[in-house]
Amino acid sequence: MEKKIILVTGGSRGIGEEFVRGFAAQGHRVVLNYSRSQQQAEEVSTSVENSGGAVFCQQADVSARDQVRAMFDAVEEHWGMVDILINNAGINLDGPFLPMEGEQWQRVVDVVLTGTFLCSQEYARRYQGTAGHIINMGAATALHGRKNGTNYCSAKAGVMTLTKCLARELAPAIAVNCVVPGFMETEEVMERFNLYDPDRRRDMENRVPQGRLGTTADIFRMTSFLVNEATYITGQNHFVNGGEYMG
Ligand SMILES: NC(=O)c1ccc[n+]([C@@H]2O[C@H](COP(=O)([O-])OP(=O)(O)OC[C@H]3O[C@@H](n4cnc5c(N)ncnc54)[C@H](OP(=O)(O)O)[C@@H]3O)[C@@H](O)[C@H]2O)c1
């Protein structure tokens, strides 16, 4: 397996943390990006290093072009060109549509959609190889909608369309794919949907043909396949959701 330099945005917890740990364990060099959770990022980073992994922590708000540029500069100085970009950073600021203020809409669009645009552009402008890969994180709710999620679902729909546009523009040197999780058992989701309540959890599980919530490991397996094994695959949505949404 060829060892790569992989930049994971939002790598301090949840799915991103799984990517950082998993790819470092495979021997890749991993850039762990975060925006505010410095302590969590440093804990993950130290733990990966203690297990013999190579990790480089970089604070940057993915929605700010100057910070994104500075992050890529720092990585280049430290290790060299990024081989693979995983646009994982995301936020949810859920709320009903009618009272939603501009800031609640804009911040989610800025982080989820503009952040993916800015990081992808910075990566693609610098990439000089022939086997690059951008892996975005979508959401099935971008396709079927969700109450209280106009900002998030719309931004993720943008990410999924951006994936296809970039797959066409950046081919053949860079593949662009989108991994689309269903309901994953991350702390953020468990708290936002109150799934620590056993009844609510059971309700949610009953909506999934495979009968359980997803795990960060499920998402890692698909992403690891894309990073390490995929050939001749670009511009696709890769659903990992136990059959909850069949695209
Ligand atoms: N969990 C699910 O069920 C699910 C389902 C569908 C899609 N997804 C998508 O999968 C991705 C990961 O989800 P998750 O549940 O693991 O999220 P999470 O636990 O909330 O973690 C989000 C990560 O993004 C980082 N982040 C947030 N804003 C950022 C910014 N402006 N710049 C850089 N980093 C930023 C956070 O770090 P800081 O705290 O430092 O900002 C954190 O590391 C997201 O794109 C999410 O939308 C998740």
Side-chain angles (χ1 to χ4, degrees):
M1 189 195 295
E2 200 188 329
K3 302 303 178 204
K4 305 272 172 78
I5 297 172
I6 303 176
L7 194 164
V8 179
T9 68
S12 58
R13 62 174 180 272
I15 295 170
E17 176 182 350
E18 181 84 27
F19 290 160
V20 170
R21 290 184 184 279
F23 289 122
Q26 291 176 348
H28 298 291
R29 286 179 282 174
V30 184
V31 182
L32 186 172
N33 157 262
Y34 68 96
S35 69
R36 286 172 306 180
S37 49
Q38 184 178 358
Q39 193 183 336
Q40 264 178 313
E42 284 173 358
E43 278 168 17
V44 174
S45 169
T46 304
S47 146
V48 169
E49 280 171 344
N50 287 343
S51 315
V55 63
F56 182 48
C57 240
Q58 274 299 297
Q59 189 280 333
D61 178 342
V62 294
S63 70
R65 188 186 281 282
D66 55 337
Q67 294 185 37
V68 169
R69 193 169 287 154
M71 171 170 69
F72 275 83
D73 283 344
V75 176
E76 273 183 17
E77 201 168 302
H78 189 68
W79 275 338
M81 182 185 75
V82 173
D83 295 306
I84 294 178
L85 168 67
I86 303 182
N87 283 309
N88 169 76
I91 55 167
N92 292 270
L93 297 174
D94 284 4
F97 169 64
L98 287 178
M100 187 175 286
E101 296 289 344
E103 166 63 13
Q104 191 178 355
W105 167 268
Q106 197 60 51
R107 186 63 192 147
V108 173
V109 171
D110 284 350
V111 174
V112 171
L113 181 54
T114 307
T116 301
F117 165 78
L118 290 174
C119 291
S120 300
Q121 195 180 50
E122 202 60 43
Y123 163 77
R125 282 176 174 172
R126 293 167 188 248
Y127 185 72
Q128 288 170 1
T130 56
H133 209 148
I134 296 172
I135 300 171
N136 296 326
M137 298 301 288
T141 50
L143 302 176
H144 58 68
R146 162 165 77 68
K147 271 174 92 172
N148 297 326
T150 48
N151 47 5
Y152 178 82
C153 299
S154 306
K156 284 292 186 188
V159 168
M160 292 165 81
T161 301
L162 181 63
T163 300
K164 293 176 191 295
C165 296
L166 294 186
R168 292 183 189 280
E169 277 204 39
L170 301 178
I174 300 174
V176 189
N177 281 290
C178 191
V179 172
V180 189
F183 280 107
M184 297 295 131
E185 206 173 333
T186 58
E187 224 173 285
E188 194 281 320
V189 163
M190 296 299 284
E191 275 169 17
R192 187 157 44 95
F193 294 102
N194 192 19
L195 298 181
Y196 291 115
D197 173 337
D199 290 337
R200 285 189 57 92
R201 183 181 178 123
R202 207 169 308 112
D203 281 351
M204 194 65 95
E205 287 172 343
N206 286 340
R207 289 163 48 180
V208 183
Q210 290 193 327
R212 64 171 175 87
L213 301 179
T215 65
T216 55
D218 293 320
I219 302 298
F220 176 71
R221 279 186 205 104
M222 170 59 80
T223 312
S224 173
F225 165 75
L226 291 172
V227 162
N228 295 306
E229 291 174 76
T231 53
Y232 206 53
I233 300 176
T234 194
Q236 306 299 320
N237 292 321
H238 304 274
F239 293 94
V240 183
N241 61 19
E244 189 245 339
Y245 174 81
M246 302 186 190

